[in-house]
Amino acid sequence: MGTWGAGLYSDDDAADFVDLIRAVLRLPKPVDELVDLLLGGAEDAMEHRDLTVLILADQFEKRGIHHTETYSEAIQVLESGIDIEILRGSEMEEKDVRARTKSNAKILDRLKNPRAEKPRKTLSKPQPTVVSAGDYVRFPIQDRGARNPYIPPAREDFRPNGWGIVQVHDVGWEFEYLSWVKLLRLKWEHQHPPSAKDAENAPPVGNLAFGTLSPSHFKRMEMEIIGNRPRRSDAAPPLPGERTARFVTLNDISIGNLLLG
């Protein structure tokens, strides 16, 4: 875990948890269910439940989401000073501890006097998918890496010198709304763009892997469906401990990350 200050969000795990909260709150489900989902999803990322609940309560209050149980638990954490003891145990400097204590007092006041409740902006329908199981997809690469879908084309120094291929093995939706794909990467070392027949004969590279694939990322990576065939029988299953469909959708991890190199 990387820590860079005394603030509640001054470490990598906390920042990642905020991204998770942002994604989960888009689901059109009761807040009780979302809290269970968030606390379960944070088990691996956050070392201390007390800090997890404190971040969750702070984010809820800032977004105008009222949840009595979460607020009450966070207030108990703040009034007991548990999180301060955790910080002292991590050898935080005393000046930073004092700064955090002052910040906690402000959070405590907000949790006891929360702002007016606001309606959440949620997904009205399942996220779209641009591919189907069995699709062969090609895309330009530079030195084995695809175009970075997070960087606008005008700012990226991308000079394609080859092609990549994947086959889509499955598509689906977590919680009926968050879309994912499961891909098999294939080996192609020729300069000319591969055909569907070329893709059928290309050997697999690595194991099946999950990721998200939005229409915008599909377009930015200049992906093109070149055919649809039965799913490859030589595809190795995802490795134990690899990212699951639920993990990639909740954390919005694009399949582009897999294809960057």
Side-chain angles (χ1 to χ4, degrees):
M1 178 182 74
T3 301
W4 56 84
L8 182 58
Y9 301 99
S10 298
D11 68 65
D12 294 330
D13 291 344
D16 290 343
F17 187 42
V18 172
D19 290 339
L20 178 62
I21 293 170
R22 185 181 299 113
V24 169
L25 289 180
R26 298 177 66 199
L27 295 172
K29 294 183 178 294
V31 176
D32 282 344
E33 290 186 30
L34 301 183
V35 169
D36 290 341
L37 181 60
L38 284 163
L39 293 179
E43 284 180 353
D44 294 332
M46 298 290 291
E47 184 178 356
H48 299 284
R49 176 186 170 90
D50 299 309
L51 296 180
T52 302
V53 171
L54 188 51
I55 291 171
L56 184 57
D58 185 58
Q59 286 294 307
F60 274 11
E61 196 285 323
K62 287 179 176 178
R63 298 166 190 268
I65 299 171
H66 291 186
H67 190 256
T68 302
E69 290 81 2
T70 300
Y71 280 15
S72 296
E73 187 172 350
I75 289 170
Q76 183 179 0
V77 169
L78 291 168
E79 290 183 335
S80 67
I82 294 173
D83 69 313
I84 298 299
E85 294 306 313
I86 292 173
L87 296 177
R88 283 200 170 103
S90 66
E91 300 182 352
M92 177 176 282
E93 293 185 14
E94 195 58 33
K95 66 179 181 62
D96 290 332
V97 171
R98 289 195 298 270
R100 179 63 168 269
T101 301
K102 185 176 181 180
S103 173
N104 279 1
K106 294 179 180 179
I107 296 173
L108 180 61
D109 181 63
R110 285 196 290 105
L111 294 181
K112 289 184 174 182
N113 303 281
R115 70 195 71 198
E117 195 163 9
K118 301 177 184 177
R120 284 188 295 125
K121 293 181 179 180
T122 60
L123 294 169
S124 59
K125 57 184 178 180
Q127 291 175 330
T129 180
V130 290
V131 292
S132 302
D135 282 349
Y136 279 111
V137 180
R138 69 185 180 194
F139 48 93
I141 61 173
Q142 178 182 342
D143 301 332
R144 300 185 182 276
R147 183 185 291 278
N148 189 329
Y150 295 100
I151 301 178
R155 294 174 50 196
E156 185 182 18
D157 184 20
F158 183 74
R159 303 176 186 181
N161 54 15
W163 294 88
I165 322 172
V166 296
Q167 187 185 34
V168 180
H169 262 238
D170 208 355
V171 299
W173 289 264
E174 280 293 308
F175 310 107
E176 303 175 3
Y177 282 88
L178 304 178
S179 65
W180 54 263
V181 298
K182 183 165 63 173
L183 300 183
L184 178 67
R185 196 168 186 173
L186 304 172
K187 187 176 183 179
W188 182 253
E189 296 185 335
H190 305 283
Q191 293 296 312
H192 64 276
S195 65
K197 185 174 181 60
D198 291 328
E200 284 186 270
N201 294 323
V205 178
N207 297 61
L208 290 165
F210 290 99
T212 62
L213 182 57
S214 65
S216 62
H217 279 201
F218 185 89
K219 182 178 180 180
R220 282 187 177 180
M221 288 189 285
E222 300 181 56
M223 288 182 153
E224 178 186 2
I225 298 171
I226 56 176
N228 186 287
R229 302 288 189 274
R231 289 176 287 189
R232 301 276 292 254
S233 61
D234 56 355
L239 293 170
E242 285 294 301
R243 293 164 174 166
T244 63
R246 177 163 295 190
F247 183 88
V248 300
T249 53
L250 289 179
N251 293 278
D252 195 16
I253 299 175
S254 172
I255 205 69
N257 293 335
L258 173 70
L259 304 178
L260 288 177

